[in-house]
Amino acid sequence: MLGFLNKIREPVSITIHKKILYSLSVLLAGILLGTTSKILDETASNLLPPMLEVLDLRNFFSRMGIWLFFAVLISVYSKTPFRAATNVFLFFVGMVGSYYLYTALVAGFFPESYMMIWITMAFISPFMAFVCWYARGNGIIPVIISALIFMFMTRQAFAFGFWYLDIRNGLEMILWIGTFFVLYQSPGQMAKVVTIGVLAFFLTAPLNLFWGML
């Protein structure tokens, strides 16, 4: 099985020192972003600097798009699929853990049901990261994986109905464009990814996926 997967994308060996450094970096990034997200969530919008208020970062960080983008970014630029799984899991542990520790210890409440959704997402994330790592490989399987990623990011950036197609959020539109470049390998590969991904978006637009978060 590993031989087959290695033909799709070849893992790259790195030193133990670099593994520890990269893993600690993504863990700290998760902690920082989770804490920042909760601080923004607890701060009245009129108390934020005008630029942050205009960008509406409170709602931006409360949606799945930014976290999905970071997970994909960490996954595809890891050196092996197992490193992708480890790094993405650590990122979500840092983000979810810091967010809800701040909620319980500083904000003084404990949203158990909502927290369980994010904990479930954190435990699912290593398996999804393992698969996403192969998005930058060779052949039809990476195209399909990339198309699914592109579809999920399109769902975050656009709202589609029978008579409309709207941009949900300007920042998520930027993430959508960023996803294009993260997944890009060649014009032909990306043409297939976008075609399949956009078609899948239109087909799945009426569905609520992952408790409506995706």
Side-chain angles (χ1 to χ4, degrees), residues 121-185:
M121 297 288 284
F123 277 99
I124 292 173
S125 67
F127 304 100
M128 305 305 294
F130 187 97
V131 174
C132 286
W133 186 82
Y134 289 96
R136 288 184 63 86
N138 302 306
I140 188 61
I141 293 176
V143 168
I144 293 172
I145 295 171
S146 295
L148 290 174
I149 293 170
F150 198 76
M151 178 267 288
F152 281 121
M153 293 304 298
T154 304
R155 286 175 60 93
Q156 292 296 300
F158 297 95
F160 171 69
F162 192 73
W163 295 109
Y164 65 90
L165 177 65
D166 294 328
I167 297 175
R168 293 182 185 271
N169 182 287
L171 292 176
E172 288 181 339
M173 181 68 179
I174 294 173
L175 293 181
W176 182 76
I177 296 171
T179 303
F180 179 96
F181 289 103
V182 170
L183 298 175
Y184 180 88
Q185 296 188 75

